[in-house]
Amino acid sequence: MSLRILTEASGSLVSGYLIKAVKEANCIAVASDIDPDCYGRYLADEFIQMPLKSDPKLWDKVIAALVEKKVDIVIPSFDETLLGWSLRKDLLLEKGIRVIVSEPKVIEMFQDKWLTYEFFLKNGIPTPDTSLEQVYPLVKPRNGRGAKGVQISTQPVDMTGMISQEFIKGTEYTIDVFCDKFSNPIYIVPRKRMNVKEGKSTSGIVVFHEGIIQWVKKICECTSFIGPINIQCIEKESGDLKFIEVNPRIAGGMALGFAATENWIQQIVDHFVYGKEIKPIPVKYGLKMMRYYNEIFTF
Protein backbone atom coordinates (compact mmCIF):
# COMPACT_ATOMS: atom_id res chain seq x y z
CA MET A 1 0.00 0.00 0.00
CA SER A 2 1.43 3.37 -1.05
CA LEU A 3 1.90 5.98 1.65
CA ARG A 4 0.31 9.37 1.18
CA ILE A 5 2.73 12.27 1.63
CA LEU A 6 1.68 15.90 1.99
CA THR A 7 3.91 18.73 0.76
CA GLU A 8 3.29 22.39 1.55
CA ALA A 9 3.37 25.58 -0.52
CA SER A 10 2.86 23.64 -3.74
CA GLY A 11 2.40 26.87 -5.68
CA SER A 12 6.06 27.78 -5.15
CA LEU A 13 8.08 27.75 -8.35
CA VAL A 14 10.63 25.43 -6.73
CA SER A 15 8.23 22.86 -5.24
CA GLY A 16 7.86 20.69 -8.32
CA TYR A 17 10.96 18.62 -7.57
CA LEU A 18 9.51 17.57 -4.22
CA ILE A 19 6.24 16.34 -5.72
CA LYS A 20 8.28 14.42 -8.29
CA ALA A 21 10.44 12.90 -5.55
CA VAL A 22 7.35 11.73 -3.65
CA LYS A 23 6.06 9.96 -6.76
CA GLU A 24 9.46 8.43 -7.50
CA ALA A 25 9.39 6.96 -3.98
CA ASN A 26 6.19 5.13 -5.07
CA CYS A 27 4.08 7.24 -2.75
CA ILE A 28 0.92 9.25 -3.37
CA ALA A 29 1.73 12.97 -3.66
CA VAL A 30 -0.76 15.19 -1.84
CA ALA A 31 -0.02 18.80 -2.72
CA SER A 32 -1.33 21.73 -0.66
CA ASP A 33 -1.55 25.49 -0.98
CA ILE A 34 -3.86 28.39 -0.17
CA ASP A 35 -4.34 28.86 -3.94
CA PRO A 36 -6.84 26.24 -5.20
CA ASP A 37 -5.52 26.58 -8.74
CA CYS A 38 -1.78 26.42 -8.08
CA TYR A 39 0.35 24.47 -10.53
CA GLY A 40 1.30 21.86 -7.95
CA ARG A 41 -2.28 20.69 -7.88
CA TYR A 42 -1.88 19.37 -11.41
CA LEU A 43 1.48 17.73 -10.79
CA ALA A 44 0.36 15.87 -7.67
CA ASP A 45 -2.05 12.96 -7.27
CA GLU A 46 -4.31 14.80 -4.84
CA PHE A 47 -4.68 18.29 -3.42
CA ILE A 48 -5.68 20.03 -0.19
CA GLN A 49 -6.57 23.72 -0.19
CA MET A 50 -5.07 25.18 2.95
CA PRO A 51 -6.79 27.89 5.01
CA LEU A 52 -5.08 31.24 5.45
CA LYS A 53 -2.51 31.31 8.25
CA SER A 54 -4.65 34.03 9.90
CA ASP A 55 -7.70 31.72 10.09
CA PRO A 56 -8.57 31.27 13.81
CA LYS A 57 -9.47 27.63 13.07
CA LEU A 58 -6.37 27.02 10.95
CA TRP A 59 -5.15 23.87 12.64
CA ASP A 60 -8.59 22.35 13.21
CA LYS A 61 -9.20 22.64 9.48
CA VAL A 62 -5.74 21.37 8.53
CA ILE A 63 -5.95 18.31 10.77
CA ALA A 64 -9.47 17.51 9.56
CA ALA A 65 -8.23 17.69 5.94
CA LEU A 66 -5.26 15.42 6.70
CA VAL A 67 -7.52 12.83 8.28
CA GLU A 68 -10.01 13.05 5.41
CA LYS A 69 -7.26 12.55 2.81
CA LYS A 70 -5.68 9.78 4.92
CA VAL A 71 -2.27 11.47 4.87
CA ASP A 72 0.53 9.34 6.37
CA ILE A 73 3.48 11.75 6.29
CA VAL A 74 3.81 15.54 6.30
CA ILE A 75 7.03 17.21 5.12
CA PRO A 76 6.70 20.88 6.17
CA SER A 77 8.40 23.54 4.07
CA PHE A 78 6.45 26.72 4.85
CA ASP A 79 8.21 28.89 7.44
CA GLU A 80 5.02 30.44 8.78
CA THR A 81 3.52 27.08 9.84
CA LEU A 82 6.73 25.22 10.73
CA LEU A 83 6.40 25.78 14.49
CA GLY A 84 2.71 24.86 14.35
CA TRP A 85 3.54 21.51 12.77
CA SER A 86 6.25 20.86 15.35
CA LEU A 87 3.96 21.65 18.28
CA ARG A 88 1.39 19.17 16.96
CA LYS A 89 3.74 16.30 16.10
CA ASP A 90 2.59 14.08 18.97
CA LEU A 91 -1.10 14.84 18.41
CA LEU A 92 -0.81 13.99 14.73
CA LEU A 93 1.20 10.84 15.42
CA GLU A 94 -1.72 9.61 17.56
CA LYS A 95 -3.79 9.89 14.38
CA GLY A 96 -1.21 7.92 12.40
CA ILE A 97 0.34 10.99 10.74
CA ARG A 98 4.11 11.47 10.97
CA VAL A 99 5.45 15.01 10.71
CA ILE A 100 9.11 15.13 9.68
CA VAL A 101 10.29 18.18 11.56
CA SER A 102 12.54 19.09 14.50
CA GLU A 103 11.32 19.84 18.02
CA PRO A 104 9.67 23.21 18.83
CA LYS A 105 12.66 24.61 20.76
CA VAL A 106 14.87 23.98 17.71
CA ILE A 107 12.38 25.63 15.35
CA GLU A 108 12.00 28.66 17.61
CA MET A 109 15.76 29.14 17.92
CA PHE A 110 16.59 28.95 14.22
CA GLN A 111 13.62 30.97 13.01
CA ASP A 112 14.92 33.88 15.10
CA LYS A 113 18.18 35.23 13.67
CA TRP A 114 19.21 36.74 17.00
CA LEU A 115 18.74 33.43 18.82
CA THR A 116 20.62 31.74 15.96
CA TYR A 117 23.49 34.18 16.47
CA GLU A 118 23.54 33.43 20.20
CA PHE A 119 23.57 29.69 19.45
CA PHE A 120 26.52 30.09 17.07
CA LEU A 121 28.37 32.25 19.61
CA LYS A 122 27.74 29.87 22.52
CA ASN A 123 28.99 26.85 20.55
CA GLY A 124 32.01 28.49 18.92
CA ILE A 125 30.55 28.47 15.39
CA PRO A 126 32.07 31.28 13.26
CA THR A 127 29.39 33.84 12.43
CA PRO A 128 29.19 37.56 11.55
CA ASP A 129 29.09 40.04 14.43
CA THR A 130 25.45 40.86 15.12
CA SER A 131 23.55 43.40 17.22
CA LEU A 132 19.99 44.25 18.19
CA GLU A 133 20.95 47.89 17.63
CA GLN A 134 21.90 49.54 14.34
CA VAL A 135 25.61 48.99 14.76
CA TYR A 136 26.25 47.48 11.33
CA PRO A 137 25.00 48.62 7.90
CA LEU A 138 23.32 45.29 7.03
CA VAL A 139 19.86 45.26 8.62
CA LYS A 140 17.43 42.35 8.45
CA PRO A 141 14.30 41.08 10.24
CA ARG A 142 14.88 38.71 13.14
CA ASN A 143 12.22 36.39 11.77
CA GLY A 144 12.52 37.10 8.05
CA ARG A 145 13.12 34.62 5.24
CA GLY A 146 14.89 34.93 1.93
CA ALA A 147 15.91 38.48 1.11
CA LYS A 148 12.64 40.03 2.26
CA GLY A 149 13.18 43.09 4.42
CA VAL A 150 16.97 42.97 4.15
CA GLN A 151 18.66 46.31 3.52
CA ILE A 152 22.02 48.04 3.68
CA SER A 153 21.59 51.49 5.14
CA THR A 154 23.60 54.19 6.85
CA GLN A 155 20.39 56.06 7.63
CA PRO A 156 18.47 55.42 10.88
CA VAL A 157 16.20 52.36 10.68
CA ASP A 158 13.41 51.34 13.05
CA MET A 159 15.07 48.35 14.73
CA THR A 160 11.87 46.89 16.17
CA GLY A 161 12.05 43.19 15.37
CA MET A 162 15.32 43.71 13.47
CA ILE A 163 19.01 42.93 13.82
CA SER A 164 22.07 44.54 12.26
CA GLN A 165 24.91 42.36 11.08
CA GLU A 166 28.47 42.65 9.87
CA PHE A 167 28.45 42.52 6.07
CA ILE A 168 30.47 39.54 4.84
CA LYS A 169 31.72 39.51 1.26
CA GLY A 170 32.65 36.20 -0.29
CA THR A 171 31.37 32.97 -1.83
CA GLU A 172 27.93 31.90 -0.68
CA TYR A 173 27.26 28.26 0.13
CA THR A 174 24.10 26.40 1.00
CA ILE A 175 24.44 23.05 2.75
CA ASP A 176 21.72 20.45 2.42
CA VAL A 177 21.67 18.14 5.44
CA PHE A 178 19.61 15.02 6.09
CA CYS A 179 19.39 13.90 9.71
CA ASP A 180 17.98 10.59 10.90
CA LYS A 181 15.52 10.16 13.77
CA PHE A 182 18.46 10.14 16.21
CA SER A 183 19.64 13.54 14.88
CA ASN A 184 22.72 12.07 13.18
CA PRO A 185 23.64 13.89 9.94
CA ILE A 186 23.53 11.15 7.30
CA TYR A 187 24.17 13.47 4.36
CA ILE A 188 25.99 16.81 4.32
CA VAL A 189 25.95 18.28 0.81
CA PRO A 190 27.62 21.70 0.34
CA ARG A 191 26.57 23.48 -2.82
CA LYS A 192 27.89 26.74 -4.17
CA ARG A 193 25.05 29.09 -5.05
CA MET A 194 25.79 30.32 -8.58
CA ASN A 195 22.57 32.24 -9.17
CA VAL A 196 19.88 33.28 -6.73
CA LYS A 197 16.50 34.88 -7.44
CA GLU A 198 14.25 36.12 -4.63
CA GLY A 199 16.27 34.10 -2.12
CA LYS A 200 15.95 30.83 -4.07
CA SER A 201 18.74 29.00 -5.90
CA THR A 202 18.30 28.91 -9.67
CA SER A 203 21.65 27.23 -10.31
CA GLY A 204 24.45 25.74 -8.28
CA ILE A 205 27.19 23.13 -8.06
CA VAL A 206 27.94 20.51 -5.40
CA VAL A 207 31.45 20.92 -4.00
CA PHE A 208 33.61 19.03 -1.52
CA HIS A 209 34.57 21.42 1.26
CA GLU A 210 36.10 19.75 4.29
CA GLY A 211 35.88 22.88 6.43
CA ILE A 212 32.17 23.33 5.82
CA ILE A 213 31.47 19.64 6.43
CA GLN A 214 33.30 19.65 9.77
CA TRP A 215 31.56 22.79 11.01
CA VAL A 216 28.16 21.42 9.97
CA LYS A 217 28.88 18.24 11.92
CA LYS A 218 29.59 20.39 14.98
CA ILE A 219 26.36 22.37 14.50
CA CYS A 220 24.44 19.08 14.37
CA GLU A 221 26.20 17.85 17.52
CA CYS A 222 25.09 20.95 19.42
CA THR A 223 21.35 20.54 18.82
CA SER A 224 18.76 17.99 17.64
CA PHE A 225 17.69 18.20 14.00
CA ILE A 226 15.20 15.82 12.42
CA GLY A 227 14.94 15.14 8.68
CA PRO A 228 16.03 17.63 6.01
CA ILE A 229 17.56 20.94 7.09
CA ASN A 230 19.35 23.72 5.27
CA ILE A 231 22.35 25.77 6.44
CA GLN A 232 23.88 28.87 4.83
CA CYS A 233 27.40 30.22 5.12
CA ILE A 234 29.84 32.52 3.35
CA GLU A 235 33.51 31.84 2.66
CA LYS A 236 35.65 34.96 2.75
CA GLU A 237 38.58 35.48 0.37
CA SER A 238 40.86 34.58 3.29
CA GLY A 239 39.18 31.17 3.48
CA ASP A 240 37.44 31.94 6.77
CA LEU A 241 33.87 30.69 7.04
CA LYS A 242 30.96 32.61 8.53
CA PHE A 243 27.69 30.78 9.17
CA ILE A 244 24.64 32.95 8.59
CA GLU A 245 21.49 30.95 9.23
CA VAL A 246 19.85 27.57 9.62
CA ASN A 247 16.50 26.65 8.07
CA PRO A 248 15.19 23.59 9.96
CA ARG A 249 13.11 22.36 7.02
CA ILE A 250 13.31 21.08 3.49
CA ALA A 251 14.43 23.79 1.05
CA GLY A 252 13.68 24.80 -2.52
CA GLY A 253 17.21 24.24 -3.77
CA MET A 254 17.46 20.79 -2.21
CA ALA A 255 16.71 19.25 -5.59
CA LEU A 256 20.48 19.41 -6.12
CA GLY A 257 21.14 17.73 -2.77
CA PHE A 258 18.77 14.91 -3.75
CA ALA A 259 20.35 14.53 -7.18
CA ALA A 260 23.86 14.42 -5.72
CA THR A 261 22.92 11.59 -3.32
CA GLU A 262 19.57 9.82 -3.50
CA ASN A 263 15.87 10.45 -3.08
CA TRP A 264 15.55 11.64 0.52
CA ILE A 265 11.79 11.05 0.41
CA GLN A 266 12.51 7.35 -0.01
CA GLN A 267 14.83 7.53 2.99
CA ILE A 268 12.13 9.27 5.04
CA VAL A 269 9.72 6.44 4.26
CA ASP A 270 12.23 3.65 4.86
CA HIS A 271 13.79 5.11 8.02
CA PHE A 272 11.10 7.14 9.77
CA VAL A 273 8.18 4.83 8.95
CA TYR A 274 9.72 1.38 8.62
CA GLY A 275 12.76 1.85 10.86
CA LYS A 276 15.37 0.83 8.29
CA GLU A 277 18.96 1.94 8.75
CA ILE A 278 20.15 4.52 6.24
CA LYS A 279 23.32 3.53 4.41
CA PRO A 280 24.56 6.69 2.66
CA ILE A 281 26.03 6.55 -0.81
CA PRO A 282 28.95 8.73 -2.02
CA VAL A 283 28.08 12.35 -2.81
CA LYS A 284 28.37 13.28 -6.50
CA TYR A 285 30.72 16.25 -6.15
CA GLY A 286 30.86 18.48 -9.22
CA LEU A 287 27.20 17.92 -10.09
CA LYS A 288 25.57 21.11 -11.41
CA MET A 289 21.96 22.22 -11.38
CA MET A 290 20.23 24.75 -13.63
CA ARG A 291 16.54 25.64 -13.57
CA TYR A 292 14.08 26.72 -16.21
CA TYR A 293 10.39 27.49 -16.54
CA ASN A 294 7.96 24.79 -17.66
CA GLU A 295 4.28 24.87 -18.53
CA ILE A 296 1.12 23.07 -17.47
CA PHE A 297 -2.04 23.28 -19.60
CA THR A 298 -5.43 22.50 -18.12
CA PHE A 299 -9.13 23.37 -18.49
Side-chain angles (χ1 to χ4, degrees):
M1 178 177 163
S2 297
L3 297 179
R4 306 165 75 86
I5 300 181
L6 178 109
T7 60
E8 283 192 295
S10 301
S12 166
L13 289 175
V14 296
S15 65
Y17 87 92
L18 190 52
I19 294 171
K20 181 181 177 183
V22 170
K23 290 186 171 184
E24 288 178 348
N26 296 313
C27 295
I28 296 170
V30 183
S32 67
D33 201 90
I34 60 172
D35 179 3
D37 202 38
C38 72
Y39 88 93
R41 178 175 200 147
Y42 304 102
L43 292 180
D45 300 300
E46 296 188 25
F47 179 76
I48 293 176
Q49 182 179 355
M50 288 293 195
L52 296 173
K53 64 179 182 180
S54 58
D55 191 321
K57 295 185 177 181
L58 170 67
W59 289 105
D60 289 339
K61 292 179 180 179
V62 168
I63 293 171
L66 296 181
V67 172
E68 180 184 352
K69 289 289 187 180
K70 299 180 179 178
V71 169
D72 298 293
I73 299 172
V74 176
I75 303 176
S77 63
F78 190 47
D79 285 293
E80 284 80 351
T81 53
L82 201 60
L83 180 59
W85 285 115
S86 184
L87 290 167
R88 292 164 179 82
K89 278 205 308 183
D90 293 341
L91 170 65
L92 287 164
L93 189 58
E94 291 175 2
K95 300 178 183 295
I97 303 168
R98 287 177 172 81
V99 183
I100 310 302
V101 71
S102 301
E103 294 302 311
K105 63 180 182 180
V106 177
I107 304 298
E108 289 177 321
M109 179 164 59
F110 290 113
Q111 285 199 320
D112 185 322
K113 289 181 174 60
W114 176 252
L115 297 183
T116 300
Y117 168 71
E118 290 187 319
F119 167 85
F120 286 153
L121 215 58
K122 176 183 176 181
N123 293 287
I125 310 299
T127 191
D129 292 336
T130 303
S131 175
L132 291 173
E133 299 178 357
Q134 195 177 353
V135 176
Y136 307 101
L138 179 62
V139 177
K140 58 176 74 172
R142 283 181 63 162
N143 300 100
R145 60 187 176 114
K148 188 175 181 181
V150 177
Q151 57 182 302
I152 295 178
S153 178
T154 56
Q155 300 301 313
V157 173
D158 181 1
M159 293 298 292
T160 305
M162 307 289 280
I163 61 169
S164 70
Q165 196 168 71
E166 174 190 9
F167 179 76
I168 304 295
K169 185 177 180 180
T171 303
E172 189 173 356
Y173 288 87
T174 293
I175 307 99
D176 297 329
V177 184
F178 183 79
C179 294
D180 65 14
K181 60 185 177 182
F182 307 109
S183 301
N184 300 313
I186 303 301
Y187 284 115
I188 297 174
V189 186
R191 50 185 169 88
K192 190 181 296 184
R193 288 161 64 119
M194 296 166 64
N195 286 294
V196 179
K197 184 176 182 181
E198 296 177 356
K200 296 180 174 61
S201 297
T202 57
S203 67
I205 182 171
V206 176
V207 298
F208 177 78
H209 194 304
E210 182 65 28
I212 288 177
I213 292 171
Q214 292 306 315
W215 279 116
V216 169
K217 285 181 179 178
K218 181 170 182 180
I219 291 171
C220 292
E221 287 172 1
C222 295
T223 188
S224 300
F225 295 118
I226 298 295
I229 67 163
N230 176 262
I231 298 174
Q232 295 182 11
C233 73
I234 295 175
E235 183 177 35
K236 299 171 68 175
E237 290 184 0
S238 63
D240 292 339
L241 294 168
K242 297 289 185 179
F243 285 83
I244 308 296
E245 64 180 68
V246 176
N247 297 301
R249 55 164 173 75
I250 204 159
M254 237 173 231
L256 182 51
F258 281 36
T261 53
E262 56 186 325
N263 186 344
W264 293 4
I265 305 302
Q266 185 67 64
Q267 297 307 317
I268 286 173
V269 171
D270 291 345
H271 178 68
F272 286 93
V273 178
Y274 297 119
K276 295 181 181 179
E277 181 183 356
I278 302 174
K279 297 180 180 179
I281 63 173
V283 176
K284 301 181 184 72
Y285 295 113
L287 185 67
K288 294 180 181 179
M289 176 186 74
M290 289 157 280
R291 281 178 157 155
Y292 63 97
Y293 287 108
N294 203 355
E295 291 77 34
I296 294 176
F297 302 98
T298 184
F299 285 105

